[in-house]
Amino acid sequence: IWISVAITAISIALQTETIHYNFGNTLSWTPGEVIYCETTTDVVTAVESAIASGEKIKAFGTGWSWNTAIAGDGDTYVILSGGLSDITTAELNTTEQTVVVGAGIQA
């Protein structure tokens, strides 16, 4: 079930009632909500909403976690997408040989 939700004038994608698995299919769980956040404001809104309703909220990446801490039936999951996964915002430091990327970047 996909629903478009407006929270304080911000539209975010919301998915409910889907079983999720980690990469190795060793863990499975049914989230209460999965929220796809495209901006930092979306993340803040999702966290504030979860706090206000007393729900647990977790960041979910590409499913590589083998730790049972990621799997929680009924928990709210935030997935970073849109502008948060834009590689063009990376900051390259050639002197230090480091790169700083946004939280939603996938290689």
Side-chain angles (χ1 to χ4, degrees):
I1 300 171
W2 286 92
I3 308 167
S4 180
V5 177
I7 300 176
T8 61
I10 299 169
S11 288
I12 55 179
L14 173 67
Q15 179 185 7
T16 60
E17 298 183 23
T18 300
I19 297 174
H20 284 253
Y21 301 90
N22 69 336
F23 179 76
N25 290 324
T26 60
L27 301 171
S28 66
W29 64 96
T30 305
E33 295 179 338
V34 177
I35 303 171
Y36 292 83
C37 297
E38 295 190 8
T39 66
T40 304
T41 304
D42 290 347
V43 175
V44 170
T45 301
V47 170
E48 288 175 344
S49 177
I51 290 170
S53 64
E55 296 174 1
K56 289 183 179 180
I57 188 165
K58 299 177 179 180
F60 185 78
T62 57
W64 282 85
S65 179
W66 297 89
N67 189 317
T68 57
I70 191 63
D73 288 334
D75 293 348
T76 296
Y77 288 81
V78 170
I79 296 177
L80 306 178
S81 59
L84 294 173
S85 61
D86 182 5
I87 192 69
T88 63
T89 61
E91 298 172 20
L92 175 64
N93 183 326
T94 55
T95 304
E96 297 292 323
Q97 296 184 351
T98 59
V99 63
V100 177
V101 297
I105 299 298
Q106 296 181 23

